[in-house]
Amino acid sequence: MSRSRPGPLDYLARWPLRAWMVATTVFLYSPLLTLMVFSFNNSRRNIVWRGFTLDYYAQVLGDDSLIQAFINSLTIALISTLFSVLLGAATALLLWRFRFPFKAGLEGGLALPIVVPEICMGVALLVFFTKVLPWPTNMVWPFNLGVIIIAHISFSFSFVASVVRARLASFNREQEEAARDLGASEWRTLIDVILPHMRPGLVAGGLLAFTLSLDDFVITFFTSGPDTTTFPVKVYSMIRFSVTPEVNAASTLLIVITVALTAIALRLQGSDGAAATAPH
Amino acid sequence: MTKPAQSIITFENVTKRYGKVIAVDNVSFSISEGEFFALLGPSGCGKTTLLRMVAGFENPDEGRILIDGKDVTDTPPNRRPVNMVFQSYAVFPHMSVRDNVAYGLTVEGVGKAERLRRAEEALALVKLDGYGERKPDQLSGGQRQRVALARALVKRPRVLLLDEPLSALDAKLREQMRFELTQLQEKVGVTFLIVTHDQDEALAMASRCAVMNRGVLQQVGAPSDLYEFPNSRFVADFIGQVNMFEGILSRDDPDRAEITCAELTTPVFLDHGVTGAAGSTLWIAIRPEKIELKGRKDGEAKPIMEDAPEGANVEPGFIRHISYLGSESVYEVDLTSGRRIKALRSNLTRWDQEDFQVDQPVWLAWHACSPAVLLS
């Protein structure tokens, strides 16, 4: 049997495309793999492979300041995600549902935290929290994280708003009218019909906000204090002394946790997201 | 069948503007209890706006709307005794079919047992028994429409509103749904108010229609009234096919009238008087099926129509095109003035379609009562 043109899947059997695939995979994953592999390296200097050990994981788990930084990061990420989703969803609803003066301005302004360089945001927030809204120091945990949480909400809620707004654009307004027609109040319609439609957007936006907060370095660096170190900031300070496998081990743990959380969230969304995205 | 003549929806001088555009222009009429009423017109004529004003999604700028004699102009949509089947069906995708149908009752606070019983009842009514557990994305378009119907009917509305209900269905299913909708309406006895741009649909289903054009109500009447006695050129043209001629009222007696048309060789003779000043311009409309075709030989005298003076209501012409449609054939005929008109002939026997050929000379004849006289 002779074939003149390969089918779409046959292209993978040709060497240039295979090479392309390999190259993509290598560039994507080799840095991460290296990081993970060298977290098991039995060498303080961590330049040459000297054998397998779990010592550095033990060290990481025994390092109180690192654990505290990690707990801080998770706390900040959870709280800021919660508020970002609430605020972002409300903003998206506002922009989608109503017409008001300066709406275009608000819509454009929403994109500012996305396009403004992070370093500028960091400096701006630093100035804001020293001059405009001085956050009282020496507060108990987790209230001492307030500054960082507010900083994180201020940039991640606009991401949530954009994602949810995009989702709302596909909403069939007749569904809202149908609910009203069947006797539902505006509030009830929001809960019963509009929110279920928004849900995939809320989950996606929440994931985005969570990961953005968890690995944010620049803005956090400007807004964190001595007692409020987050994980990325802590890792940075560790690297200043030397790149030990301890850093690798800590980073590996972070990667595993982030991937696991994302997978769980996507799984939750997938179980009934199919119906929510069905055509009307 | 006797119908109580009580009016269930009344439009009183209803006007709706969008900026400078007048969507609905001073419309007044009423719909009686138990009617299958169709709002008919081309797209953008204001029929959907009118329907949405009954549902409460739009508010009239002027005038008022009464349901059961009660002014509902300021009543929000969730407090009106009407329910709607939307053009997109608007079935809630995240709810099962049963939850969709029961939604209106849930919101109302009806108890669970009662709710489920009524939902099953409504599903049986639209022949969807056993589909309660399914999600809308597991249904076909026609089935989703039935869900929308059941969801609206389960609330036992005073009036069921239907917005272009058949437009998204394929031709075969559309035929079937027409029939089912009329059956359903007879069964539940609820007043139906349907919006459509499809005149066949309206004529086939409705007991009464309102024809609208550019926001203005043109005519309200039974389908046969609209077809046989249109009150304007727009209605005559919009409902069915028509041959229209402009003419001048040249003679007007109580029992007879004559209209001289530039495109016809003899004045059109009518066996009834016309309300119009002599010499005024008006139009006559003759439906294609009301024009009779007769073979014509060269130099032959005009045949005489028994209900018209000699020579009147008969025109010579040549067949230019024939469309054979099975049950009938449409003949396009050029008159001596060059005007092309359509005549429709039923194929009563299997040989009828062979009676006339293209380019054959023919006589076109019609009865004195057939042309509709239009003043506007």
Side-chain angles (χ1 to χ4, degrees):
Chain A
M1 198 173 96
S2 71
R3 287 201 290 183
S4 51
R5 276 167 58 89
L9 290 174
D10 294 343
Y11 278 109
L12 274 183
R14 310 212 150 179
W15 76 263
L17 278 139
R18 278 189 178 174
W20 186 273
M21 278 272 296
V22 170
T24 316
T25 317
V26 165
F27 281 116
L28 260 180
Y29 296 114
S30 59
L32 288 177
L33 269 178
T34 315
L35 174 97
M36 289 180 182
V37 168
F38 276 80
S39 70
F40 301 105
N41 191 5
N42 191 5
S43 157
R44 187 80 211 148
R45 311 257 313 263
N46 206 10
I47 296 167
V48 191
W49 180 258
R50 288 278 163 92
F52 181 85
T53 178
L54 287 172
D55 287 356
Y56 293 102
Y57 281 90
Q59 258 185 50
V60 164
L61 296 173
D63 184 339
D64 284 345
S65 66
L66 196 60
I67 295 290
Q68 183 57 47
F70 193 70
I71 292 172
N72 281 350
S73 268
L74 279 182
T75 312
I76 293 165
L78 279 174
I79 298 176
S80 72
T81 299
L82 185 70
F83 282 100
S84 296
V85 168
L86 285 176
L87 202 58
T91 312
L93 269 175
L94 182 81
L95 288 172
W96 169 74
R97 185 72 164 76
F98 301 105
R99 260 187 273 176
F100 48 88
F102 310 116
K103 179 178 169 177
L106 181 58
E107 220 157 358
L110 207 57
L112 266 185
I114 303 175
V115 295
V116 165
E118 242 189 308
I119 186 80
C120 303
M121 278 286 284
V123 175
L125 283 162
L126 176 67
V127 174
F128 178 77
F129 282 115
T130 48
K131 304 281 184 214
V132 185
L133 185 76
W135 196 263
T137 46
N138 305 325
M139 284 182 87
V140 284
W141 192 91
F143 296 101
N144 55 355
L145 302 174
V147 173
I148 304 177
I149 291 172
I150 292 174
H152 282 195
I153 294 170
S154 76
F155 72 83
S156 52
F157 95 90
S158 59
F159 285 89
V160 179
S162 308
V163 173
V164 176
R165 178 93 167 82
R167 174 69 192 162
L168 277 171
S170 68
F171 182 70
N172 175 9
R173 290 300 281 266
E174 285 197 342
Q175 281 185 29
E176 183 189 346
E177 290 178 342
R180 297 279 283 140
D181 185 65
L182 292 165
S185 61
E186 296 216 35
W187 183 244
R188 190 87 203 247
T189 304
L190 178 71
I191 305 287
D192 287 348
V193 179
I194 303 178
L195 271 182
H197 180 84
M198 286 165 72
R199 201 161 68 176
L202 294 176
V203 173
L207 272 178
L208 201 58
F210 187 80
T211 45
L212 278 173
S213 167
L214 202 60
D215 69 17
D216 179 75
F217 173 74
V218 180
I219 289 172
T220 316
F221 187 73
F222 280 92
T223 45
S224 61
D227 302 328
T228 56
T229 309
T230 68
F231 188 79
V233 176
K234 178 71 186 168
V235 169
Y236 176 72
S237 69
M238 284 162 74
I239 288 175
R240 275 195 297 193
F241 301 111
S242 65
V243 186
T244 62
E246 201 181 342
V247 174
N248 292 37
S251 307
T252 304
L253 284 177
L254 183 64
I255 291 171
V256 169
I257 290 170
T258 320
V259 169
L261 284 175
T262 313
I264 290 169
L266 285 177
R267 188 75 186 256
L268 285 178
Q269 186 191 2
S271 62
D272 47 15
T277 49
H280 316 107
Chain B
M1 196 167 77
T2 53
K3 278 182 196 157
Q6 200 187 346
S7 97
I8 191 160
I9 299 180
T10 307
F11 298 92
E12 280 182 5
N13 307 97
V14 173
T15 297
K16 175 75 185 174
R17 296 184 197 84
Y18 294 111
K20 280 183 183 163
V21 183
I22 300 182
V24 174
D25 191 358
N26 196 17
V27 165
S28 300
F29 68 98
S30 53
I31 298 169
S32 306
E33 175 118 46
E35 277 196 291
F36 197 128
F37 197 95
L39 286 169
L40 181 61
S43 55
C45 71
K47 57 191 190 302
T48 301
T49 309
L50 210 55
L51 188 82
R52 289 174 58 81
M53 285 196 280
V54 177
F57 301 127
E58 313 277 348
N59 279 325
D61 293 317
E62 283 163 36
R64 43 181 216 150
I65 296 171
L66 310 174
I67 300 178
D68 274 332
K70 221 179 78 203
D71 187 347
V72 295
T73 312
D74 296 319
T75 312
N78 50 335
R79 304 244 169 91
R80 296 193 184 200
V82 298
N83 287 108
M84 185 151 163
V85 175
F86 290 83
Q87 190 171 8
S88 70
Y89 315 145
V91 173
F92 306 131
H94 57 282
M95 294 183 196
S96 69
V97 167
R98 182 176 296 114
D99 289 347
N100 259 286
V101 174
Y103 183 74
L105 304 176
T106 314
V107 171
E108 230 175 63
V110 175
K112 192 172 180 195
E114 159 98 355
R115 205 162 70 208
L116 289 179
R117 189 182 60 73
R118 277 172 69 180
E120 282 310 320
E121 225 174 77
L123 280 173
L125 197 65
V126 296
K127 297 173 192 157
L128 277 183
D129 353 30
Y131 281 75
E133 298 297 328
R134 298 216 192 170
K135 283 286 182 86
D137 59 352
Q138 294 170 304
L139 302 180
S140 69
Q143 288 170 328
R144 255 179 277 179
Q145 178 172 51
R146 287 161 193 268
V147 174
L149 264 170
R151 186 176 68 177
L153 283 172
V154 80
K155 295 265 292 179
R156 297 175 186 157
R158 294 286 289 139
V159 183
L160 184 74
L161 311 172
L162 301 110
D163 186 8
E164 300 270 5
L166 307 182
S167 61
L169 304 176
D170 60 66
K172 199 89 183 173
L173 199 55
R174 196 158 17 191
E175 285 282 318
Q176 191 195 330
M177 274 314 279
R178 265 187 206 176
F179 176 67
E180 283 194 27
L181 277 179
T182 43
Q183 268 202 327
L184 187 66
Q185 199 252 349
E186 279 167 23
K187 208 158 159 189
V188 295
V190 171
T191 309
F192 278 32
L193 175 55
I194 181 174
V195 155
T196 177
H197 65 273
D198 185 334
Q199 36 123 347
D200 288 336
E201 212 169 285
L203 296 190
M205 295 192 294
S207 56
R208 238 162 32 112
C209 304
V211 182
M212 289 185 72
N213 184 33
R214 297 176 184 200
V216 178
L217 186 65
Q218 296 283 339
Q219 190 172 358
V220 181
S224 58
D225 289 340
L226 299 178
Y227 189 80
E228 307 292 3
F229 305 99
N231 66 359
S232 62
R233 277 179 292 162
F234 176 81
V235 175
D237 194 40
F238 188 74
I239 311 274
Q241 299 243 338
V242 76
N243 298 298
M244 197 109 58
F245 300 93
E246 189 177 315
I248 286 166
L249 186 59
S250 46
R251 178 178 171 181
D252 187 16
D253 295 328
D255 62 342
R256 53 173 41 208
E258 275 177 23
I259 294 161
T260 310
C261 302
E263 290 169 326
L264 299 174
T265 55
T266 47
V268 175
F269 176 83
L270 300 166
D271 63 359
H272 55 84
V274 174
T275 46
S280 63
T281 300
L282 35 70
W283 295 265
I284 62 159
I286 314 177
R287 302 284 183 195
E289 77 279 4
K290 295 184 172 57
I291 297 179
E292 204 180 323
L293 282 176
K294 296 172 194 228
R296 170 167 73 94
K297 293 187 188 74
D298 267 349
E300 189 188 36
K302 262 190 182 182
I304 295 168
M305 291 299 283
E306 62 277 15
D307 57 3
E310 198 175 320
N313 297 355
V314 180
E315 289 288 325
F318 289 91
I319 294 178
R320 291 302 182 214
H321 189 262
I322 301 173
S323 309
Y324 171 71
L325 303 176
S327 60
E328 66 217 13
S329 295
V330 178
Y331 299 86
E332 288 182 41
V333 181
D334 278 352
L335 302 177
T336 47
S337 62
R339 169 72 190 273
R340 180 166 290 195
I341 69 171
K342 277 183 182 166
L344 192 141
R345 189 164 179 264
S346 289
N347 294 321
L348 292 177
T349 76
R350 291 196 285 168
W351 304 106
D352 276 17
Q353 35 110 6
E354 292 183 1
D355 289 352
F356 297 99
Q357 264 74 45
V358 172
D359 288 335
Q360 185 179 340
V362 287
W363 295 109
L364 297 168
W366 56 87
H367 289 285
C369 60
S370 291
V373 180
L374 310 168
L375 301 177
S376 65

